[in-house]
Amino acid sequence: MVRRVLLVSTNYAPEQAGIGPYATQIAEHWVETGHAEVHVLAGMPHYPNWRVAEDYIGVWRKEEERAGVRLHRRRHSVPARQTAVRRALYEASILAHGVVAPPRMPAPDAVVAQLPSLAGGALGARLARRHGVPYIPVVQDLMGAAAAQSGIRGGGRAAAAARAVESRVLRRASLVGVIHETFVPRVAAMGVDEKRIRVVPNWSHVTGPTRPRAEMRALLGWREGQTVLLHSGNMGLKQGLEVLVEAARTDPSLRVVLMGDGNQRAHLAALGAGLPNLDFLPPADSAEFTDVLAAADVLAVTQRSSVLDMSVPSKLTSYFAAGRPVVASVADGGGTAEEMRRAGAGVVVPPEDPAALLEAVRTLAADPEAADALGAEGPVYVREHLSSEAGLGRITALLDEALDLAADGAADGAGAGAADEAGGPVVHNRPVIHRRKAAGEPAGGSVTHTDKTG
């Protein structure tokens, strides 16, 4: 009998950055392998540019079928600029629409939710409780810590409220997945038994580069002999990308490229106005993405100095696949720095320090052979630790374990949704390991039904 799973993820395809690709690959993998019938409660595509995609403007609700996955999209606010109040309205709109118009579907056997959306987590917990089935949140970012560390205006006041909601949502879970072990102490501190926490790292969801570097550099207008430092992905507050603008200002011979979009793009463009060696590029098409990354000399990942343990940038998995050395301008001791050291594919420098970043880039540029050798460690790390097969296998194992625990609880008379005095479910710590092949590219198109009555 095929199980039915509801995946709650505000972000989903056609988004190509952040959490969306992971949610999409999980859902399509379960469908393609016959592991589950999958429904997804999702928002309208808007990330990373924080603008609703053109095909979804004015849409109130939309039902879609993509690669055998049934999507239930619900409209929500999309703040062009991030403040604590605007973020709260964003989350509130997701929660309100999900409560008023939950997915029209048969009862699921389990509910999986992708956090950092607190609203998505709350909706997942609510729907799982309604149907008396296991609830499995997967923590990509810690929202309480994010509010305190990201630099968002009003974030300090919002952090306590976010932590309270986050704690309540996670304590209701049958099992909790986290993408990095540095999240474990934080989640445990919210009252979640460590025996119920599973580390399920993200994987590299892109293929390696295929086009010769010289050819791609010529297409991009990057002349040979000029060092190109590239940052790809979201241009938000927590990234602290001002350090790259200042690096371009300090060293006119260095070409700094910011590729992507986000709510800080206009601010960064204004800050770097008049710098001839600072370029802004739109997000690359998926077919050329890693070719563009590989054409750069050095790839940059940056975070504000206050960001410690709230997130591990998903861009790292793509950077490693591209085979170029990475300079990470991040706080030492956080998950990003730890992942860099494990991969051995780059160097870590202090955050928000243009001089330290420039010194690392110049050192790599002065020794191309050493830089190439360092970059070559990335694909090795991807093959050994970040393959889609391994990553999807871990997520599948998490789902299977939660379902097995629920079945054991029912057999013992406890019921799938039994709770202890603290409000958490009664579970048993019995590891289950599964390895399944990753889903391939979906065949065929999409079937859609659109409701624009709202």
Side-chain angles (χ1 to χ4, degrees):
M1 179 178 176
V2 177
R3 296 153 167 168
R4 183 178 298 112
V5 176
L6 172 61
L7 173 62
V8 182
S9 179
T10 302
N11 303 101
Y12 199 84
E15 293 181 358
Q16 297 180 8
I19 294 169
Y22 293 107
T24 305
Q25 288 195 9
I26 290 168
E28 292 182 1
H29 173 70
W30 286 342
V31 168
E32 183 173 303
T33 59
H35 200 75
E37 171 191 328
V38 182
H39 292 249
V40 178
L41 176 57
M44 299 299 169
H46 64 280
Y47 188 86
N49 55 8
W50 289 93
R51 293 187 299 273
V52 176
E54 184 175 351
D55 291 345
Y56 294 84
I57 293 174
V59 176
W60 188 249
R61 297 169 192 161
K62 188 171 187 178
E63 307 294 317
E64 297 179 66
E65 186 171 316
R66 299 176 65 100
V69 178
R70 188 69 178 176
L71 282 120
H72 310 264
R73 294 193 185 272
R74 301 293 181 261
R75 186 176 179 175
H76 51 83
S77 70
V78 179
R81 293 190 300 112
Q82 292 287 319
T83 66
V85 171
R86 288 189 173 99
R87 180 72 191 205
L89 290 173
Y90 168 77
E91 296 283 352
S93 66
I94 294 170
L95 179 61
H97 205 164
V99 168
V100 171
R104 294 180 180 178
M105 59 175 289
D109 296 299
V111 178
V112 180
Q114 291 268 24
L115 276 67
S117 172
L118 291 179
L123 285 170
R126 176 188 175 93
L127 291 166
R129 187 179 184 88
R130 173 189 294 180
H131 295 290
V133 299
Y135 168 55
I136 311 115
V138 178
V139 180
Q140 297 275 349
D141 286 340
L142 291 162
M143 284 302 296
Q149 298 176 18
S150 66
I152 189 171
R153 193 171 70 185
R157 295 189 299 273
R163 277 193 294 267
V165 175
E166 197 168 39
S167 174
R168 182 176 177 83
V169 164
L170 295 178
R171 284 187 286 111
R172 288 184 176 185
S174 304
L175 295 173
V176 176
V178 297
I179 65 164
H180 201 270
E181 63 266 23
T182 54
F183 289 9
V184 173
R186 281 271 188 175
V187 172
M190 297 180 198
V192 179
D193 189 340
E194 283 196 30
K195 293 180 180 179
R196 293 197 284 119
I197 303 173
R198 304 289 181 269
V199 179
V200 284
N202 283 336
W203 56 94
S204 181
H205 59 82
V206 300
T207 59
T210 58
R211 183 173 290 186
R213 290 188 68 227
E215 180 182 324
M216 180 54 72
R217 286 178 71 97
L219 286 172
L220 293 166
W222 300 348
R223 64 176 174 81
E224 288 301 319
Q226 183 180 36
T227 301
V228 175
L229 175 65
L230 170 69
H231 176 277
S232 173
N234 185 37
M235 300 181 194
L237 282 168
K238 71 181 180 183
Q239 281 75 27
L241 290 166
E242 291 85 355
V243 69
L244 296 181
V245 176
E246 292 310 311
R249 194 186 313 278
T250 303
D251 186 352
S253 69
L254 174 68
R255 186 169 199 152
V256 176
V257 180
L258 302 182
M259 182 173 75
D261 210 334
N263 55 54
Q264 295 299 297
R265 188 183 189 281
H267 159 69
L268 294 167
L271 186 65
L275 294 177
N277 59 327
L278 176 64
D279 297 335
F280 288 83
L281 295 179
D285 293 337
S286 57
E288 294 185 334
F289 180 54
T290 49
D291 288 326
V292 176
L293 296 182
D297 296 288
V298 182
L299 301 172
V301 57
T302 64
Q303 292 177 333
R304 293 169 60 92
S305 58
S306 57
V307 175
L308 292 171
D309 50 8
M310 46 129 344
S311 69
V312 177
S314 58
K315 66 171 59 66
L316 276 181
T317 62
S318 300
Y319 279 8
F320 293 154
R324 299 306 303 159
V326 181
V327 171
S329 175
V330 300
D332 199 16
T336 304
E338 177 63 25
E339 197 66 12
M340 284 288 298
R341 292 191 179 95
R342 284 182 184 173
V347 296
V348 177
V349 301
E352 301 185 68
D353 187 339
L357 186 146
L358 280 172
E359 181 181 356
V361 171
R362 289 165 177 162
T363 299
L364 291 169
D367 192 344
E369 288 187 7
D372 289 346
L374 202 61
E377 293 296 319
V380 174
Y381 187 69
V382 168
R383 287 194 301 272
E384 295 181 352
H385 302 283
L386 301 179
S387 70
S388 59
E389 181 178 11
L392 290 165
R394 285 186 288 261
I395 290 289
T396 302
L398 179 67
L399 171 65
D400 288 348
E401 184 180 0
L403 286 165
D404 288 347
L405 292 172
D408 288 349
D412 292 341
D420 61 19
E421 293 180 359
V426 176
V427 297
H428 307 278
N429 185 33
R430 181 159 61 88
V432 180
I433 298 176
H434 296 264
R435 290 290 182 266
R436 299 179 183 275
K437 291 184 178 180
E441 290 296 319
S446 301
V447 178
T448 65
H449 168 71
T450 303
D451 178 5
K452 292 193 177 183
T453 59

